[in-house]
């Protein structure tokens, strides 16, 4: 444990010293991954498939805030969808408008979660997002998580109905019905939306309680709730999916969420203190838990010279 804490402390110190370089690199890698996944699954506009454009747009993303990355990803997705069907672009624009309203009215600074949800689905770790958002997010963080789920299943619906939407003989009404029926008729969308939103709320609620190890217990409870919702939801809605994939994926994502939470902020519950103080209007009861930190030795290299060399330097 001491060795792990030492590595953690050194990593945090390294990040604090070079964050002005690390954060743009992380943004660049994330944008590259997002754009390449869009090109792979929704490569309907040829010009966006070119590597030079992907690299240039990713470099632009390095200079933007996180909310700007969400807008940039939405515009890039809109470019592909509009090349397939303008009806699909209208539906996507409505989802993006809802995301903008939520971002500026309720949750400023958390809109990038909408982008992370589809990315996590394509990387086969979708259950990780609601667990982490519940730990580090706010009470309304389930809203961008839910919109992210909608965006992912909208991309799936467009991908499945690409042949029909691109057919010149399809009318406008038929195209809209194809898209909306693809969303409404997908029972996995309902189960996933319910699971992700409820798991986020449960993890957030338990994590804010004052009992020991609430962060890790809330993550474990979120993983159990995720399995239960998918199992019972799948039975009620007669949805078929891989039960082994659900169990293994939830266990892996739960373990990863615990590691990430420990890496970001580990505390020592054995030294917790309960304090009480008051002012003219209130009496305050506070539980103070110190963070775990270890002293990192500052290694200095001292050059030792022989007496002859020191005499030569003096001369």
């Amino acid at each position: 444990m001491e060795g792990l804490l030492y590595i953690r402390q050194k990593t945090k110190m390294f990040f604090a010293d070079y964050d002005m370089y690390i954060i743009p690199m992380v943004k660049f890698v994330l944008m590259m991954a997002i754009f390449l996944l869009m090109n792979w699954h929704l490569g309907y506009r040829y010009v966006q498939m070119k590597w030079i454009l992907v690299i240039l747009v990713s470099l632009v993303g390095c200079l933007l805030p996180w909310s700007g990355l969400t807008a940039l990803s939405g515009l890039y997705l809109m470019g592909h969808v509009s090349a397939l069907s303008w009806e699909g672009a209208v539906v996507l624009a409505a989802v993006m408008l809802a995301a903008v309203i939520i971002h500026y009215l309720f949750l400023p600074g958390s809109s990038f979660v909408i982008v992370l949800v589809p990315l996590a689905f394509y990387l086969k770790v979708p259950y990780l997002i609601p667990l982490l958002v519940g730990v580090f997010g706010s009470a309304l963080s389930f809203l961008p998580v839910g919109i992210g789920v909608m965006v992912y299943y909208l991309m799936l619906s467009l991908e499945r109905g690409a042949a029909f939407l691109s057919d010149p003989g399809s009318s406008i009404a038929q195209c809209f019905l194809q898209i909306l029926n693809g969303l409404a008729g997908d029972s996995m969308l309902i189960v996933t939306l319910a699971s992700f939103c409820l798991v986020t709320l449960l993890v957030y609620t338990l994590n804010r309680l004052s009992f020991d190890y609430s962060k890790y217990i809330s993550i474990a409870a979120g993983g159990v709730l995720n399995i239960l919702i998918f199992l019972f939801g799948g039975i009620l809605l007669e949805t078929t999916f891989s039960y082994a994939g659900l169990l293994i994926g939830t266990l892996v994502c739960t373990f990863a969420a615990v590691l990430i939470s420990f890496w970001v902020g580990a505390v020592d519950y054995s030294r917790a203190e309960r304090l009480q103080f008051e002012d003219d209007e209130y009496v305050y009861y506070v539980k103070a838990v110190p963070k775990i930190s270890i002293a990192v030795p500052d290694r200095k290299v001292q050059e030792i010279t022989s007496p002859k060399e020191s005499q030569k330097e003096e001369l």
Side-chain angles (χ1 to χ4, degrees):
M1 179 62 70
E2 184 178 353
L4 183 62
L5 291 173
Y6 175 80
I7 296 174
R8 171 180 170 270
Q9 192 72 15
K10 289 288 290 184
T11 304
K12 293 180 68 174
M13 293 173 59
F14 179 81
F15 184 84
D17 293 337
Y18 300 99
D19 60 338
M20 61 180 300
Y21 306 107
I22 296 174
I23 293 178
M25 290 176 60
V26 170
K27 290 180 178 180
F28 177 80
V29 172
L30 280 175
M31 286 293 97
M32 282 283 293
I34 292 167
F35 295 151
L36 290 176
L37 284 172
M38 288 183 189
N39 291 343
W40 179 264
H41 293 277
L42 298 171
Y44 302 121
R45 191 174 295 278
Y46 176 73
V47 67
Q48 294 182 217
M49 302 286 289
K50 296 183 178 180
W51 273 95
I52 184 65
L53 181 64
V54 173
I55 294 175
L56 289 176
V57 178
S58 300
L59 288 175
V60 172
C62 296
L63 308 176
L64 299 177
W66 292 105
S67 58
L69 298 184
T70 307
L72 186 62
S73 302
L75 292 175
Y76 198 89
L77 178 60
M78 183 70 73
H80 277 305
V81 175
S82 61
L84 172 66
S85 166
W86 71 267
E87 294 88 357
V90 170
V91 177
L92 178 61
V95 176
M96 291 175 61
L97 179 61
V100 170
I101 293 174
I102 289 175
H103 171 66
Y104 285 104
L105 294 183
F106 301 104
L107 294 168
S110 62
S111 61
F112 195 67
V113 175
I114 301 173
V115 181
L116 291 179
V117 173
L119 179 63
F121 268 102
Y122 285 120
L123 295 178
K124 308 301 182 183
V125 287
Y127 312 125
L128 180 63
I129 301 300
L131 296 176
L132 291 180
V133 172
V135 172
F136 301 108
S138 63
L140 296 176
S141 295
F142 70 94
L143 293 175
V145 172
I147 293 179
V149 172
M150 291 291 295
V151 171
Y152 171 71
Y153 279 94
L154 176 59
M155 293 171 64
L156 286 184
S157 178
L158 294 173
E159 190 175 354
R160 289 194 294 259
F164 182 84
L165 295 174
S166 59
D167 186 2
S170 302
S171 64
I172 297 174
Q174 289 175 334
C175 290
F176 274 116
L177 287 175
Q178 172 71 20
I179 297 171
L180 296 178
N181 289 336
L183 292 175
D186 194 343
S187 56
M188 278 302 297
L189 167 61
I190 301 174
V191 176
T192 306
L193 191 61
S195 175
F196 278 36
C197 292
L198 292 177
V199 167
T200 304
L201 283 172
L202 177 66
V203 174
Y204 171 81
T205 302
L206 294 180
N207 185 45
R208 294 308 182 273
L209 299 180
S210 62
F211 59 85
D212 292 351
Y213 304 100
S214 60
K215 181 185 299 183
Y216 309 117
I217 294 175
S218 64
I219 293 174
V224 173
L225 180 63
N226 181 73
I227 295 175
L228 293 177
I229 291 177
F230 271 94
L231 288 178
F232 286 104
I235 295 173
L236 292 175
L237 298 178
E238 298 180 354
T239 302
T240 58
F241 57 89
S242 173
Y243 294 101
L246 169 66
L247 180 61
I248 295 174
T250 303
L251 291 177
V252 170
C253 291
T254 301
F255 181 71
V258 169
L259 286 181
I260 294 173
S261 300
F262 173 79
W263 203 263
V264 172
V267 295
D268 186 2
Y269 289 101
S270 63
R271 295 191 292 129
E273 298 181 7
R274 296 184 182 276
L275 309 175
Q276 176 182 345
F277 55 94
E278 62 181 87
D279 57 16
D280 295 336
E281 298 181 357
Y282 295 96
V283 177
Y284 302 92
Y285 298 90
V286 180
K287 180 180 179 180
V289 184
K291 292 184 178 181
I292 299 176
S293 61
I294 60 174
V296 178
D298 185 14
R299 295 186 175 89
K300 295 182 179 180
V301 178
Q302 184 177 1
E303 184 178 355
I304 301 176
T305 58
S306 63
K308 294 182 178 180
E309 291 180 351
S310 59
Q311 291 177 0
K312 291 181 180 179
E313 291 178 357
E314 293 177 357
L315 295 175

